Amino acid sequence: MTGPAAAGVLEPGDVWAYLVARGLAPDGSSGTVREVGDGNMNRVFVAVPAGATRGLAVKQAPPWIRALGPSAPMSPERAMVEARALATFARFAPEQTPRVLDVDPGRFAFTMEDLSDLTVLRTALVDGAGFGDTSRQVGDLVGRVTFATSAAGATAADRAALLAASVNPVLAAVTEQYLLSEPFGASDANRHHPLLDAEVAALRADPAVRTEVSALRWAFASRAEALVHGDLHSGSVMVGERDGAAVVRVIDPEFAVVGPIGLDLGLYLANALVAAARSAALGDRAEAADRAGQAAVLWEAFTAAWQAGWPGRADRFLDDAWLSRQLASVWDDTLGFAAVEMVRRVAGYSHAADLETLPDPGPASAVVLRAARALLLDRPAFGDPAAVAALVR
Ligand SMILES: Nc1ncnc2c1ncn2[C@@H]1O[C@H](COP(=O)(O)OP(=O)(O)OP(=O)(O)O)[C@@H](O)[C@H]1O
Ligand SMILES: [Mg+2]
């Protein structure tokens, strides 16, 4: 890109000089630069010094949507939202958060740990890998961050500061559109496999579905429970091994808002169920059971983090019976947000590679759609993770 619209937007050839100017590399440094970002929204460059195996990653938000170019403007402020969220995540869940070395508000960019040795979880699952320790670590991160940023874990003054610093109207609107409305109506952006024609039409015409999605929209827009990642699907988790130990990093919190805690758990759970539907379609029942079983692993790690924080809570008035009620409410929200995410992945705009790369995505997509509808309309039947796992097995 050239011209005034591209002012400040980095190209691969600028990255080393940029790192030197930011004090992140010595004068005269050079090496390779690869654009690794295959995402829709932003650019990610990895710069590796000559002779080294790992380097630094620079993520920049251009003032438009990367995949569409300057004809689709979008505020680059999202990079600063992401950098602020990463700072909060690093405070409460340092193990699972990429290390950020520099934040540059002038260029809407930040520089972080190079994660090129890791793999995006969705890609790993499509390639047949197991979840390993991932769901436990993600549940732990969501538990720690949401407890610490909730009215239970944080003082009123800290909560007020968090709320003021976490407004994210641009990306909240994207969630309301692509997750919480369009998949449930007639939008040109939607698509689905022809096998699902009748069931998609029935779902969209069902007033009970409309009411449940309305309740989730309301929760998203008004229930400021804790800082949530906002886009915690299997494309936002990178996994691998370093020195023989499992490594999990949760990336890309540009959708972060103070919102309902069940959103993050629901998005992750939905994508584990989508992965399970893939395994089942490929005839691997053991793998399908293992993937569906991630619901329990996620939930146990999440609740363990809340239980661990609870004795040191900031609001001593809150009692144990309230905690049980609150966790039950988060579980209910988790099921609801999982359901809308599953609908989005088979009947909305953004489909999942887990299903799209099957020889015929139709039957597995139908399983996902039926499971989503059951979760949406009959949540009391899914009082625990085992009941959810049975849906796609
Ligand atoms: N620190 C990093 N080190 C190495 N590779 C990375 C790093 N961060 C991101 N990536 C790679 O870049 C890809 C895009 O990153 P990310 O999801 O953060 O960008 P995005 O443009 O916001 O994506 P989306 O359009 O999905 O929102 C990731 O899927 C991953 O492959
Ligand atoms: Mg993103």
Side-chain angles (χ1 to χ4, degrees):
M1 299 296 157
T2 53
V9 173
L10 295 167
E11 294 299 331
D14 308 325
V15 172
W16 276 108
Y18 175 77
L19 290 171
V20 171
R22 295 299 297 173
L24 296 164
D27 268 344
S29 298
S30 67
T32 60
V33 177
R34 282 179 302 130
E35 186 176 356
V36 293
D38 49 357
N40 283 320
M41 305 271 279
N42 306 296
R43 303 185 78 178
V44 183
F45 302 101
V46 169
V48 180
T53 49
R54 274 170 66 200
L56 293 172
V58 180
K59 181 167 179 177
Q60 184 182 41
W64 52 73
I65 295 171
R66 172 187 175 271
L68 302 176
S71 64
M74 176 178 268
S75 166
E77 181 58 29
R78 61 190 186 274
M80 297 301 102
V81 171
E82 179 168 347
R84 280 193 293 272
L86 285 171
T88 304
F89 282 36
R91 214 173 130 201
F92 302 116
E95 223 188 305
Q96 299 97 323
T97 303
R99 209 155 59 85
V100 173
L101 293 95
D102 180 55
V103 178
D104 179 1
R107 304 288 279 265
F108 298 102
F110 61 92
T111 302
M112 65 181 141
E113 169 189 11
D114 175 5
L115 302 171
S116 313
D117 57 321
L118 308 183
T119 310
V120 172
L121 174 61
R122 193 187 301 281
T123 308
L125 295 173
V126 168
D127 289 344
F131 272 88
D133 195 39
T134 309
S135 303
R136 186 194 67 76
Q137 291 211 36
V138 170
D140 178 64
L141 169 136
V142 174
R144 285 167 182 268
V145 171
T146 59
F147 177 78
T149 59
S150 72
T155 63
D158 284 351
R159 281 271 302 171
L162 174 78
L163 280 159
S166 306
V167 291
N168 192 3
V170 173
L171 295 198
V174 173
T175 297
E176 289 182 351
Q177 179 181 352
Y178 289 100
L179 181 69
L180 294 166
S181 67
E182 284 189 357
F184 300 92
S187 158
D188 289 343
N190 289 338
R191 61 194 173 80
H192 62 261
H193 191 283
L195 191 68
L196 277 59
D197 271 346
E199 280 170 88
V200 167
L203 184 88
R204 290 182 181 152
D206 187 340
V209 168
R210 179 75 177 216
T211 305
E212 292 306 329
V213 179
S214 297
L216 292 162
R217 275 174 73 82
W218 171 262
F220 178 73
S222 57
R223 207 128 50 68
E225 290 180 339
L227 185 69
V228 295
H229 177 287
D231 196 23
L232 219 183
H233 57 83
S234 51
S236 295
V237 182
M238 294 185 77
V239 297
E241 219 181 86
R242 286 180 186 164
D243 304 322
V247 174
V248 174
R249 294 285 188 273
V250 172
I251 63 167
D252 199 19
E254 65 185 324
F255 283 79
V257 286
V258 181
I261 295 166
L263 175 63
D264 281 354
L265 297 169
L267 296 181
Y268 184 87
L269 169 59
N271 286 278
L273 295 176
V274 165
R278 171 190 175 82
S279 309
L282 292 172
D284 192 335
R285 295 176 63 172
E287 188 179 85
D290 181 66
R291 290 175 173 191
Q294 299 306 307
V297 180
L298 178 76
W299 182 249
E300 273 157 31
F302 166 77
T303 52
W306 267 71
Q307 298 288 0
W310 187 245
R313 62 193 174 280
D315 185 345
R316 311 291 316 174
F317 188 93
L318 301 177
D319 74 341
D320 293 355
W322 175 83
L323 176 61
S324 304
R325 191 192 292 183
Q326 164 64 6
L327 292 175
S329 155
V330 171
W331 177 249
D332 193 69
D333 289 346
T334 297
L335 299 178
F337 286 113
V340 291
E341 169 74 355
M342 288 159 80
V343 173
R344 174 170 87 107
R345 295 297 184 181
V346 296
Y349 171 66
S350 191
H351 286 227
D354 318 53
L355 302 175
E356 298 296 289
T357 57
L358 286 169
D360 177 7
S365 301
V367 168
V368 169
L369 186 66
R370 276 172 219 148
R373 186 176 182 153
L375 286 178
L376 206 53
L377 296 182
D378 196 14
R379 280 185 260 171
F382 301 96
D384 66 66
V388 174
L391 267 174
V392 286
R393 231 171 16 215

